[in-house]
Amino acid sequence: MTVTLGERTAETAAIYFRRAAAPAIRRTLPQKAQTLEEALADFRKSQEPGARSFGQTIWTSGQYVGDVWCYAMDPAGDPQAMVSYCVFEQTMWGRGVAAEALRLFLAEIRARFGLERVGAFTFMKNTASTRVLEKNGFRLMESFTEDGVESGYYFLDKNHTDDREEPCNEHDLL
């Protein structure tokens, strides 16, 4: 199975909003936008010059299956951005799609924006998400409880890691 990234459009932003509203996703990924109009407004902001966010779509075998994005971009900051991802196509869960998409996306934001120190938040009960981050070299820096939910802050510094640079192998995608 090949994972590729593509350009986000207003159409894919609308599809993402509807698909990510699934209860199984809402339990593990908080959503900022509560309405389609808010989601489309956020998308339009990400397209403006100097935007502090950037995202791409995730594709497998010609099918749009999710999104990966970064926000709070600040090349002088530490971290320089926060990343997030969601594979909304549940038939792709557990098949390494998110891990490979994040690997590709990290290479893209490093080349495009020079971002090498990035952070990510996840619910600690979302073991699939913690595995995706760890496969990509992120390390748990802090765990905390917010609104009764245990969460973790993960950090990746591409300048100070011995993690692999090569693509995930085929076994990782199964």
Side-chain angles (χ1 to χ4, degrees), residues 1-28:
M1 166 181 8
T2 301
V3 176
T4 59
L5 301 180
E7 182 180 349
R8 290 185 78 230
T9 65
E11 180 183 358
T12 60
I15 293 168
Y16 174 84
F17 177 80
R18 287 191 289 275
R19 297 291 307 273
I25 295 171
R26 289 277 183 182
R27 283 191 295 275
T28 59

Side-chain angles (χ1 to χ4, degrees), residues 29-45:
L29 181 67
Q31 304 288 326
K32 177 181 171 256
Q34 298 301 305
T35 67
L36 178 57
E37 292 75 24
E38 289 175 353
L40 291 174
D42 287 344
F43 166 74
R44 285 189 294 275
K45 280 190 233 172

Side-chain angles (χ1 to χ4, degrees), residues 8 48-49 66 77-78 80 91 103 111 116 118 131 137 144 156:
R8 290 185 78 230
E48 295 174 359
D78 199 15
Q80 296 170 307
T91 62
R103 184 193 70 76
E116 298 180 343
V118 295
R131 281 193 335 263
F144 56 94
L156 172 70

Side-chain angles (χ1 to χ4, degrees), residues 154-169:
Y154 283 77
F155 184 75
L156 172 70
D157 185 341
K158 291 303 275 185
N159 289 316
H160 297 96
T161 182
D162 60 357
D163 291 300
R164 65 183 182 194
E165 291 285 338
E166 73 272 6
C168 297
N169 62 43

Side-chain angles (χ1 to χ4, degrees), residues 18-118:
R18 287 191 289 275
R19 297 291 307 273
I25 295 171
R26 289 277 183 182
R27 283 191 295 275
T28 59
L29 181 67
Q31 304 288 326
K32 177 181 171 256
Q34 298 301 305
T35 67
L36 178 57
E37 292 75 24
E38 289 175 353
L40 291 174
D42 287 344
F43 166 74
R44 285 189 294 275
K45 280 190 233 172
S46 75
Q47 302 302 297
E48 295 174 359
R52 294 192 55 196
S53 64
F54 171 74
Q56 293 188 298
T57 53
I58 304 170
W59 295 79
T60 62
S61 304
Q63 180 183 5
Y64 172 42
V65 299
D67 279 12
V68 58
W69 62 95
C70 60
Y71 59 96
M73 291 170 45
D74 177 5
D78 199 15
Q80 296 170 307
M82 299 296 293
V83 295
S84 197
Y85 44 86
C86 176
V87 173
F88 56 68
E89 179 54 54
Q90 294 182 27
T91 62
M92 294 291 120
W93 290 3
R95 299 179 71 185
V97 173
E100 177 65 359
L102 182 57
R103 184 193 70 76
L104 293 168
F105 187 73
L106 291 169
E108 175 72 19
I109 63 173
R110 187 176 195 191
R112 187 181 286 220
F113 303 108
L115 303 179
E116 298 180 343
R117 297 179 317 280
V118 295

